[in-house]
Amino acid sequence: MSSSNKCNPHKKFRTYWSANPFKIYSHIPKLYDWYMNKDIYPISIEIGLTSNCNHNCCWCSIKPKEIDRKSYLQKDVIERFVSSISEMDVRSVVVSGSGEQTLHPDFIDFLEQLNRAGIFIGLNTNGSRLSDDICRIIVETVTWVRVSLDASSEAVRKKVHGVADLNKTVEGIKRLVALKNERDSRISIGTQMVICPENEMEIESCVELSKSAGVDYQQIKPTIPFDYYYPDLKDSKQIMAGWLERVQAVVNNLQDNGFMINVRFDQFQNYIDGIDLRQKASLPCLTTFSPYVEADGRVWYCVDKKGNLNYLLGDLNSSNLMDIWHSKRRAEVLEYVHNNPCGHICRNSPLNEFLWDMKNPTPFYSFL
């Protein structure tokens, strides 16, 4: 088959790397059990091996939360975790969390364990430690990796990340791309830009840098919650609208079949419009199968609720994930979640609204 006739996921599926609720249809047995009101095991889990970080990003999501920045998951805890998720038929693990995950001494071993267990792996990294060994294990085991770039110059990289290591990071990205091509790997390599006042002048050039490095895609989103990080900034909605206009122009000019630009348009537009769709709809959270494991071993209902004790499920240092999942404490958290709808848009919001419509269809859903 000629390359021109091959299915191109960049062209056909605009939400290939994003929060596409239709991905749930890849898990029909679990979706059916959920629809029949059964308590299903997680489909995907996010985990932080360490909360330690060698960067200090100006919009770091950890800053508003009381998170210990020196936590590491112990080797025995990691091994029990992998054993549990294998037994629970968890399909994927996102290695992310509150710090830079490549700093964990067992990072390479953890990826190898997950790979041997047949678990698909996603990885978020600031790109500061993309050595030959780390790049090799990433290309050999990971389904997708996303590098926080956020700038196209050393000066702006330092303003945003607190460290002037852009050239080193770009070289690491190119090393990943070269290994991918050399081994004919199917890994998806991407970059990310979180737009803020410190880097707003490099929106276009950051995308150009990513494209020139040979990555598959770049994700773009605004700093959220914007008012927390920039409470004194005037005309913030107009500023956000200007960013959105420039981002759309960049998409029109630079996106093609070999390079996708994944924009969180919803986050831009919701801030500009001053609306909160989840709060407006008052939907209870139905995505009860996406827990988050912090580097101190604590297991949370989801990544957005880490640090809020109302959503604490248990601790891997004293129990395994299977036992936590069937515990009385998790039942209490689920009841709390049902009675207290989330008041903000989150990563699972599109899927949550999709699941809500499945169980609460209008008469119009009878017309195909």
Side-chain angles (χ1 to χ4, degrees):
M1 181 181 292
S2 67
S3 59
S4 60
N5 292 327
K6 290 182 180 179
C7 174
N8 189 324
H10 304 272
K11 187 174 184 180
K12 189 172 183 181
F13 302 110
R14 288 323 220 181
T15 53
Y16 187 62
W17 283 288
S18 63
N20 178 357
F22 298 110
K23 291 177 182 178
I24 194 69
Y25 280 131
S26 296
H27 309 279
I28 292 294
K30 286 193 175 185
L31 178 60
Y32 176 78
D33 286 344
W34 172 88
Y35 186 79
M36 299 305 293
N37 297 316
K38 295 182 179 180
D39 185 22
I40 66 173
Y41 287 135
I43 295 173
S44 182
I45 297 178
E46 183 167 340
I47 185 171
L49 299 177
T50 178
S51 59
N52 186 22
C53 193
N54 54 359
H55 282 199
N56 184 26
C57 297
C58 58
W59 35 250
C60 178
S61 62
I62 307 306
K63 291 182 178 180
K65 306 183 183 222
E66 295 182 3
I67 302 292
D68 179 9
R69 299 314 302 265
K70 297 180 181 180
S71 296
Y72 283 85
L73 281 181
Q74 298 300 311
K75 190 177 185 67
D76 62 323
V77 174
I78 292 174
E79 291 175 350
R80 289 200 305 270
F81 170 78
V82 175
S83 177
S84 291
I85 64 175
S86 298
E87 187 178 353
M88 298 166 77
D89 192 31
V90 174
R91 300 308 304 137
S92 67
V93 167
V94 177
V95 186
S96 185
S98 303
E100 173 50 39
Q101 301 310 299
T102 60
L103 291 170
H104 194 284
D106 298 315
F107 171 76
I108 290 178
D109 184 57
F110 180 57
L111 296 192
E112 290 175 338
Q113 288 186 52
L114 291 175
N115 187 54
R116 286 195 299 268
I119 307 294
F120 295 108
I121 306 168
L123 172 64
N124 287 312
T125 174
N126 61 31
S128 63
R129 289 171 47 83
L130 294 176
S131 64
D132 289 342
D133 287 343
I134 288 179
C135 285
R136 175 191 56 79
I137 195 64
I138 289 174
V139 171
E140 288 179 355
T141 63
V142 168
T143 302
W144 60 262
V145 57
R146 185 178 305 134
V147 181
S148 294
L149 201 56
D150 302 304
S152 62
S153 68
E154 290 287 7
V156 172
R157 172 81 167 183
K158 186 172 184 179
K159 285 182 180 179
V160 178
H161 280 241
V163 179
D165 65 348
L166 181 69
N167 291 334
K168 178 183 177 182
T169 300
V170 172
E171 287 305 309
I173 293 172
K174 290 180 178 178
R175 188 176 295 117
L176 283 172
V177 172
L179 276 173
K180 172 184 177 176
N181 295 334
E182 175 186 314
R183 303 189 180 195
D184 196 25
S185 170
R186 297 183 64 185
I187 184 176
S188 294
I189 302 172
T191 58
Q192 176 175 276
M193 182 179 198
V194 179
I195 303 179
C196 57
E198 287 83 357
N199 66 10
E200 62 180 346
M201 298 308 297
E202 295 193 348
I203 296 174
E204 297 86 349
S205 55
C206 184
V207 177
E208 290 172 344
L209 177 60
S210 295
K211 188 173 184 178
S212 67
V215 302
D216 300 298
Y217 71 100
Q218 174 155 349
Q219 182 181 84
I220 302 177
K221 58 184 180 180
T223 301
I224 297 294
F226 191 77
D227 293 331
Y228 173 85
Y229 294 99
Y230 303 98
D232 300 324
L233 191 62
K234 297 180 180 179
D235 303 321
S236 58
K237 291 184 179 181
Q238 290 84 349
I239 291 173
M240 188 79 73
W243 292 349
L244 181 57
E245 183 177 350
R246 289 172 56 193
V247 168
Q248 185 61 70
V250 169
V251 172
N252 294 339
N253 293 332
L254 294 177
Q255 180 167 266
D256 55 40
N257 287 346
F259 177 70
M260 179 178 176
I261 304 174
N262 173 21
V263 183
R264 288 304 306 267
F265 287 110
D266 57 331
Q267 293 185 359
F268 283 99
Q269 199 61 56
N270 289 340
Y271 185 83
I272 294 167
D273 294 342
I275 61 173
D276 189 324
L277 299 180
R278 174 64 63 77
Q279 191 173 45
K280 181 180 179 181
S282 297
L283 300 182
C285 182
L286 303 177
T287 58
T288 60
F289 39 78
S290 300
Y292 169 73
V293 179
E294 185 55 270
D296 59 5
R298 291 192 291 179
V299 183
W300 301 91
Y301 175 81
C302 72
V303 65
D304 287 322
K305 297 303 185 183
K306 62 183 176 182
N308 186 330
L309 294 179
N310 292 313
Y311 298 88
L312 178 60
L313 302 180
D315 192 332
L316 292 181
N317 293 298
S318 56
S319 184
N320 63 49
L321 187 62
M322 178 75 80
D323 291 339
I324 290 173
W325 204 255
H326 294 292
S327 68
K328 178 182 177 182
R329 172 57 188 169
R330 180 169 175 269
E332 294 171 348
V333 172
L334 293 183
E335 182 177 1
Y336 180 85
V337 169
H338 177 75
N339 295 327
N340 295 272
C342 295
H344 67 282
I345 296 297
C346 70
R347 182 188 310 169
N348 284 332
S349 184
L351 175 58
N352 193 67
E353 292 167 13
F354 175 78
L355 294 175
W356 175 265
D357 287 343
M358 283 188 65
K359 286 200 172 182
N360 301 274
T362 73
F364 292 98
Y365 278 64
S366 298
F367 299 87
L368 300 178

